[in-house]
């Protein structure tokens, strides 16, 4: 049986990484970053939005910004042409 991650990739999910910048609750002048990573759908990013909603609802650190990187892991095979052939006996 295929793994959960592989099935999600077949459904169009790709690896999504978010670098979340937030202000420390006790020291709002200081910012910190948190890295979040999961399989998600581009461009709506429902998993990331769900996590950010949880963050705003439940955590004290106020969000400053979010940088998102996404990579579709299953894509057409790349073909490279061979311009030379060598034979060994």
């Amino acid at each position: 049986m295929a793994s959960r991650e592989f099935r999600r990739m077949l459904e169009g999910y790709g690896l999504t990484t978010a670098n979340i910048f937030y202000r420390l609750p006790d020291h709002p002048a200081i910012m910190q970053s948190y890295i979040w990573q999961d399989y998600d759908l581009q461009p709506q990013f429902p998993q990331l939005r769900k996590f950010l909603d949880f963050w705003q609802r439940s955590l004290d650190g106020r969000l400053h910004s979010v940088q998102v990187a996404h990579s579709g892991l299953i894509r057409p095979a790349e073909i490279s042409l061979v311009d030379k052939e060598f034979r060994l006996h």
Side-chain angles (χ1 to χ4, degrees), residues 56-70:
Q56 290 179 328
R57 190 176 57 253
S58 304
L59 301 179
D60 292 333
R62 207 173 89 224
L63 293 175
H64 177 270
S65 61
V66 179
Q67 295 176 341
V68 179
H70 178 83

Side-chain angles (χ1 to χ4, degrees), residues 8-24:
R8 291 182 89 184
M9 285 183 243
L10 291 176
E11 295 169 357
Y13 283 77
L15 187 62
T16 302
T17 304
N19 191 2
I20 302 167
F21 293 94
Y22 65 98
R23 298 191 183 278
L24 293 178

Side-chain angles (χ1 to χ4, degrees), residues 42-82:
Q42 172 185 333
Q44 292 84 14
F45 299 110
Q47 300 292 81
L48 176 58
R49 288 181 185 270
K50 181 178 172 184
F51 177 76
L52 293 176
D53 288 343
F54 163 79
W55 183 298
Q56 290 179 328
R57 190 176 57 253
S58 304
L59 301 179
D60 292 333
R62 207 173 89 224
L63 293 175
H64 177 270
S65 61
V66 179
Q67 295 176 341
V68 179
H70 178 83
S71 175
L73 299 177
I74 295 183
R75 49 188 106 134
E78 295 179 12
I79 298 174
S80 60
L81 300 176
V82 177

